Amino acid sequence: MTAHAGASPWPTRVLAHAGFEMRNLLRNGEQLLLMVILPAIVLVVLARTDLIRLDLGGQDPVQVAAPGVLALAVMSTAFTSNAIATGFDRRAGALRLLATTPLGRSGLLGGKVVGVCAVEVVQIVLLGALALALGWRPMLAGLPVAIVAVLLGTAAFTALALLIAGTLRADAVLAGANLLWLLLVVGGGVIVPMGGVLAYLPSAALGDALRAGLTDGAPSDALLPLAILAAWTVLLGAATVRWFRWD
């Protein structure tokens, strides 16, 4: 009789689940529309057409639109796609089932985060290439700021996605996540800068940090948006730990 080999090491289980999450997102046509196609259309419309006229302070439209569209792509994957997928997994009982396997709750959440980050790399490569083809010339000195902004934005919006998916019914998650995504795109400061209280939204903070690093070449201007993103991450993460339900 051969002894059971036992479960794979924790990192192996997390990476395997991350690959599963990534394949699920990329195979879903609706999610691809939200994550890549719509941001690409927004970029082309703002950079090369007069269909939408925005006050950009005399700057080249593509220089302002490109960081904003990258922020939109991060928000779409970390928040909307993640919330909808997790909400339906919870309704189907998959979360409760997987939590009892060797993967465990920590491995399940770790796999989701790694899967989201992998999809974001694909998005940034595709949308970044399109922006460069349209004439975008990012400030390379701002890349460290942009990486920190993407990581903090991913953490904040992933926490928001899990908070909604872990507290509402799946149908309500679908409607609520899509509605909130639309509101943040239209008035949340993610694509173009917003003043006043709107600048303190996580969407505006993510967009402002990327614009400060990649377009304005003034990384010090990104300190406040990064601090806002960090505060949202702590607040939403604490709320998720407190109220998230697995079934």
Side-chain angles (χ1 to χ4, degrees), residues 13 98-109 246:
R13 300 197 299 271
L98 287 173
T100 63
T101 67
L103 182 64
R105 294 184 176 184
S106 62
L108 178 61
L109 294 177
W246 292 83

Side-chain angles (χ1 to χ4, degrees), residues 77-177:
T77 300
F79 170 56
T80 314
S81 298
N82 207 14
I84 293 172
T86 306
F88 280 93
D89 282 349
R90 176 169 165 254
R91 185 177 72 172
L95 289 184
R96 182 176 54 184
L97 178 63
L98 287 173
T100 63
T101 67
L103 182 64
R105 294 184 176 184
S106 62
L108 178 61
L109 294 177
K112 281 185 174 293
V113 171
V114 175
V116 165
C117 290
V119 172
E120 287 178 353
V121 170
V122 175
Q123 288 177 291
I124 290 172
V125 169
L126 292 177
L127 294 172
L130 175 60
L132 290 173
L134 292 173
W136 182 40
R137 297 296 178 263
M139 304 292 289
L140 298 182
L143 280 179
V145 169
I147 292 172
V148 173
V150 168
L151 291 176
L152 280 175
T154 300
F157 281 110
T158 296
L160 178 59
L162 295 178
L163 177 62
I164 291 177
T167 55
L168 302 179
R169 292 186 304 122
D171 294 342
V173 172
L174 178 63

Side-chain angles (χ1 to χ4, degrees), residues 17-221:
H17 187 65
F20 172 77
E21 294 280 348
M22 182 179 178
R23 289 192 295 274
N24 270 353
L25 287 175
L26 294 179
R27 286 173 179 169
N28 189 312
E30 181 182 349
Q31 300 304 324
L32 279 179
L33 175 69
L34 199 66
M35 294 186 301
V36 177
I37 298 175
L38 284 179
I41 292 174
V42 170
L43 178 60
V44 172
V45 168
L46 290 178
R48 285 293 177 267
T49 75
D50 294 325
L51 294 176
I52 301 176
R53 295 180 180 275
L54 302 172
D55 182 8
L56 302 176
Q59 298 185 76
D60 186 343
V62 73
Q63 302 302 326
V64 177
V69 166
L70 293 181
L72 171 62
V74 169
M75 185 179 77
S76 299
T77 300
F79 170 56
T80 314
S81 298
N82 207 14
I84 293 172
T86 306
F88 280 93
D89 282 349
R90 176 169 165 254
R91 185 177 72 172
L95 289 184
R96 182 176 54 184
L97 178 63
L98 287 173
T100 63
T101 67
L103 182 64
R105 294 184 176 184
S106 62
L108 178 61
L109 294 177
K112 281 185 174 293
V113 171
V114 175
V116 165
C117 290
V119 172
E120 287 178 353
V121 170
V122 175
Q123 288 177 291
I124 290 172
V125 169
L126 292 177
L127 294 172
L130 175 60
L132 290 173
L134 292 173
W136 182 40
R137 297 296 178 263
M139 304 292 289
L140 298 182
L143 280 179
V145 169
I147 292 172
V148 173
V150 168
L151 291 176
L152 280 175
T154 300
F157 281 110
T158 296
L160 178 59
L162 295 178
L163 177 62
I164 291 177
T167 55
L168 302 179
R169 292 186 304 122
D171 294 342
V173 172
L174 178 63
N178 282 324
L179 177 60
L180 185 54
W181 178 85
L182 181 61
L183 291 175
L184 290 176
V185 171
V186 173
V190 64
I191 297 176
V192 293
M194 290 284 182
V197 68
L198 295 178
Y200 291 89
L201 292 172
S203 52
L206 177 57
D208 288 345
L210 288 177
R211 283 185 285 273
L214 297 178
T215 294
D216 300 335
S220 60
D221 290 346

